[in-house]
Structures are given as C-alpha cells and as structure tokens.
Amino acid sequence: MMPHSFESILENLPQGIVLLDSANTVTAFNSRALEVLGLAEGVLRKGMSIDGLPGTSACHAAACSRSPTGKPHASQFALPDGRMISLTCAPSSEGSWILSYEDISTLIRVEDSLAEQHHRFDAALSNMPHGLCMFDSAKNLILCNASYARMYNLPDRLTQPGTPLADILAYRAEERNGPADTATYFDVVFEATALGAPASQNIALTDGRIVKITHNPMQNGGYVATHEDVTKTVRLAEELRRHHDQLEVTVRNRTAEVERQARELERMLAQERNINELQRQFVAMASHEFRTPLAIIDAAAQRLLRKAGAVEPEFLSDKVEQIRASVSRIVDLMESILSAGRLDTGTIDISYGACALRSLIRSCCERQSSISKTHSFVLDVDGLPEFIDADPRSLAQVFTNLLSNAVKYAPGTSEIRIAAWEETGNVKISVSDDGVGIDAEDVPRLFQRYFRARTSTGIAGTGIGLNLVKQIVELHQGSIEVQSARGCGSTFTVTLPVKRHGDVPANNDCAITQAS
C-alpha cells in the first residue's frame, strides 16, 4: 500500500485541482480549489457538470476540443472580487481532464508595477536636463538619454546600444565639440574606479564650453556618467573672483565713509526729532489761534446776512454761504489736524454712549450738501438700528471726512450714494462715488499717514483724513475697507459693532480689497 493516499496527495498540492471524467463531470477536487475560486463549502461537489465551475467557457472549450496533441490548454479569467485566476486544462490519455487553478492577482500587480516603474524610469531619463550615458567594461554604449545626444549633436546611429565610445569621440572631434585635452579626459574614470565611488571633473571642450562630467563606477567594470554644461557657472565664478579683490578694497574705503555717515545720520535724526516736536507744537498753536478769527468771520457773515438790504438778497446770500462754507471747511481741517495730534500722543477723548447713527449720517449729509452745491446725496439708511454704542462726535468726523472725500474726488459727477444696514451684530455704512478711483498699487497704502494716491494729483488734501478715519473706527472696535479701481469710482465701507465688547478697544487691522 502507498504511504500516502491519492486524496492526501491531492490535498497537499499548492494549486487548486479539479478532476473531470470524460463526460466533463467533477470526480475529485482539493480544498485549495475552493480557496482559489472563493467558493463556499458544498458549492463544488463530485458529479457536478463543468458548467457549474468559474471559467466555464474556457474549460468547456478546452474539454470539447479534445486536442489530439494532448497539450494542456491555459487561460485566464477574473472573479467577481477582482482577482485574476490562471486555469490550466490538462487532458489525460483516458479522456479525463485535470483542471489546475492558480491565483495570479499578485503576480499581475507586480508585473504592472514593474511596467509602471519602467515607464517612469524612461520618462525620467528622457526629461533629465543633463546628459546621461552608460558604458560597459569594454566602453561600448549601453544607453544614453536625449539630452546627451543633443549636447554633442549625435546622430541616431551613435546612440544605439553597442556603439563604441571611440566612435562617439571621433565624431565629436569632427563636430568640434570633443574634449580640448584628450590626455586628461579619462582621468575621472580612473579616479572613480580607484575610489569605488562617484568622481567629477570639469572638461573644457574645443567649442569653448565647460562640461562637468561625473562618473559612477559599476561592479561589472562599466560606469554611468552624467554630463552637465557648467559654462555659465564657471564663467560667473571666475568673474566673482575678479570682483572679490576689488570688493575688499571698496569695502575698506566705504567703511570709513559709512562711519562718517552714521555720525551725520545720528545728528540729523536728533534734528528731525526736534523738528517733529516743533511741528506738533505749531499745529496745536495754529489750530488754537485760528479758531478765534474764524469765529469772528463767521459771526460777521451772519450779521451781513441779517443786514442784506443794501445789496441784492440772492447775491448776498450766495456770497455769505460761500464764506460760511469756507469757514466750515477750515474748521474741519483744523479738527482733523488736532485729532491726529491727539491720537499720536494718546490723549484723544472717546465718549461712548447711545449714538443715533441714522440721524447723525443724515446730519452729516445735510451739512455737506450745504457746502457742496454741485453734488446730491442719495441715502438708504433705514436699515440701521435706532442706536449703537459709539461716540457721536468722533463718528461725525469719520463720515464728514468720507463724504467730503467723495465730493472732492468725484468732480465730474453729481451723485454720492450712502447705504447702511445691520448685519450679524454689526452695522455697515458704505459711501460710494463715481469719481477718479484709486490705482491698484496705491490701495494697500491708502490709510497711511500723509499718503496720497496718484489719482489725487491736482486735488487739494493733506493725507491725514483717511488715517484719522481708520484710527477712530478701530477705536470703536470696527474696521474700514475700500473697493476701487482707477476711473471706476470708490466705495468705502465702515463696519461698527452695535454693542462694544469689553472696555478695551480692539486693535483691528484695516481690511483692504480691490474691485475686479
């Protein structure tokens, strides 16, 4: 009796095995067949037809062909779970069949991965900026990339595997792009071989180029080499060395000059500090001294208006209104200068309370309307709450400044639009004009002290108004943004909280966006 039964041998085979008789019905199988085919116990059974097996069409075709040669028939098919199965149908002399199943999914994935890696290698080789070549121990070409061929203008016949290096060098000599010194050309090969590691050297070519060649020896006696055109780098390095000596002399001479200039700069900075202090004192004094005569001018204008019988009433009224408008403009300017000074010294007084913002904006528009007869003000402020937590006096400066700017920088238009609404605990107030607009490059600097945009050329102004507006708005824990483009007008939008949060004003940055 044999030491192992037929069933034991069948069960220990690594492949899934199914035996068919001459009538194409199952006579035996092993458990590996169930595992490979992903079948549950009982699905595969003795006596069942070939048609009940996965890969039926391939099996049936092989079984029905009854090839007289007796050669096995191989095929592949996919299971519903995505695995690929290899099926070999081997006929026996009695007319029966042996079906051998093997899961080749892993093999296919490995083959696909190798193919992908090979594709990536080819792509990387083709797209390398430097020339790359590989030679065997007999100095015959194994491969080279397109950059290597372009670098030396090699024809296709000299880029084929097996081309001797001597033929390539001979062709390059004819093309006048070979090494200028052939005696030292292979020194780097010997150096790399001796080191057993990569070695590099710069080679001068007969066409004037400098090529850095890096050789990496292989265990079989061959080598891989990269060729990099470093002509510009070498020339720049030589130029740098020439300038280095000149620079050292220049630095010594300049050091003494810088030290002298540093002393002079310190003196000038001290003088500038004194001038700034005098400027602050002058602004405070001038603003205070101008208030009295301006008040007298305003009172006299009102008396002229009351005693206008000696002149035409319309003429007198027009002139008086011009006087009062000019006085109002000067007072506003002085207030801006004083407020800017108080902000600089940290002494500005913000008195928070219930501010009727809607009526405040209407009042500012009415006042500006009396000054600017050429413009009308279109208001849409009904969406505001009745009161917000703010300082009415300082907010009046904000909106007076924005309205004045809208008029001033829209000389060719007649309409200024003011819209206001409430949004998620904040109020937003926008002032829009159709004036000269602002260049995109100037928008980020618009709220800097004393900065004036290029589109404001020829229009009077000090450059402190918008900076003052920004600081007052931020003291109210708010923000201001501008949307503008040259020739398309501007929209300034102020955002203020309805209720202040805490006692310390938020230090919000100004949000700036440019209209598309």
Side-chain angles (χ1 to χ4, degrees), residues 234-390:
V234 171
R235 299 289 184 258
L236 286 173
E238 293 172 352
E239 185 70 17
L240 184 62
R241 282 193 294 271
R242 284 195 296 270
H243 284 291
H244 181 267
D245 294 338
Q246 298 176 3
L247 182 60
E248 286 187 341
V249 175
T250 303
V251 167
R252 284 195 296 268
N253 294 336
R254 289 293 295 166
T255 299
E257 177 64 16
V258 168
E259 290 174 351
R260 185 192 66 77
Q261 290 180 355
R263 292 190 296 269
E264 179 65 15
L265 179 60
E266 182 60 33
R267 185 189 66 78
M268 292 175 66
L269 287 174
Q271 182 180 358
E272 181 69 19
R273 285 192 289 268
N274 293 334
I275 292 174
N276 288 339
E277 180 61 27
L278 290 173
Q279 182 184 21
R280 282 193 292 271
Q281 293 175 4
F282 168 79
V283 169
M285 179 189 67
S287 300
H288 177 74
E289 293 297 327
F290 282 142
R291 283 180 182 275
T292 300
L294 289 174
I296 295 172
I297 291 171
D298 188 49
Q302 293 185 57
R303 285 195 298 272
L304 283 174
L305 185 59
R306 288 195 296 269
K307 297 180 180 181
V311 293
E312 270 186 40
E314 288 185 4
F315 178 81
L316 181 61
S317 177
D318 180 64
K319 295 303 178 184
V320 169
E321 288 298 331
Q322 289 181 11
I323 293 172
R324 297 194 68 191
S326 298
V327 170
S328 179
R329 169 63 183 149
I330 294 173
V331 170
D332 287 342
L333 180 59
M334 291 301 101
E335 282 294 336
S336 294
I337 295 173
L338 282 173
S339 295
R342 285 193 290 267
L343 281 168
D344 284 347
T345 58
T347 58
I348 191 168
D349 183 20
I350 301 292
S351 301
Y352 296 100
C355 174
L357 187 59
R358 191 185 313 156
S359 60
L360 184 146
I361 293 173
R362 291 185 187 278
S363 176
C364 290
C365 288
E366 290 170 2
R367 183 167 177 268
Q368 190 64 42
S369 182
S370 68
I371 297 172
S372 307
K373 302 293 186 180
T374 57
H375 290 73
S376 62
F377 298 86
V378 180
L379 278 82
D380 179 12
V381 295
D382 292 336
L384 288 174
E386 190 167 354
F387 296 100
I388 70 168
D389 191 10

Side-chain angles (χ1 to χ4, degrees), residues 43-102:
V43 175
L44 182 59
R45 60 190 183 280
K46 295 180 180 180
M48 68 181 292
S49 169
I50 187 176
D51 295 330
L53 294 173
T56 295
S57 59
C59 296
H60 197 273
C64 294
S65 65
R66 303 296 181 186
S67 172
T69 60
K71 292 182 179 179
H73 175 81
S75 63
Q76 296 178 2
F77 62 93
L79 292 177
D81 61 7
R83 290 181 298 137
M84 288 298 298
I85 305 300
S86 172
L87 170 60
T88 302
C89 305
S92 68
S93 58
E94 296 82 8
S96 60
W97 287 83
I98 300 175
L99 306 184
S100 174
Y101 295 89
E102 187 172 358

Side-chain angles (χ1 to χ4, degrees), residues 129-143:
H130 309 321
L132 181 141
C133 57
M134 181 185 295
F135 288 90
D136 60 21
S137 58
K139 290 189 172 57
N140 293 322
L141 184 67
I142 298 174
L143 61 85

Side-chain angles (χ1 to χ4, degrees), residues 10 17 34 112 127 206 214 224 236 292 306 341 358 361 412 437:
L10 188 66
I17 301 297
L34 296 174
D112 290 344
N127 289 281
T206 53
T214 301
V224 178
L236 286 173
T292 300
R306 288 195 296 269
R358 191 185 313 156
I361 293 173

Side-chain angles (χ1 to χ4, degrees), residues 1-13 19 28-30 46:
M1 185 174 179
M2 296 294 291
H4 297 286
S5 66
F6 171 75
E7 288 79 4
S8 176
I9 296 173
L10 188 66
E11 190 62 31
N12 284 283
L13 291 175
L19 302 182
F29 59 89
N30 63 2
K46 295 180 180 180

Side-chain angles (χ1 to χ4, degrees), residues 2 15 24 34 44 59 64 113 116 147 169 177 235 240 351 355 375 382 400 410 420 436 452 455 464 466:
M2 296 294 291
Q15 298 87 7
N24 294 334
L34 296 174
L44 182 59
C59 296
C64 294
S113 176
E116 178 64 20
S147 295
L169 292 176
N177 61 32
R235 299 289 184 258
L240 184 62
S351 301
C355 174
H375 290 73
D382 292 336
T400 296
V436 296
R452 303 201 70 212
T455 51
I464 63 173
L466 287 178

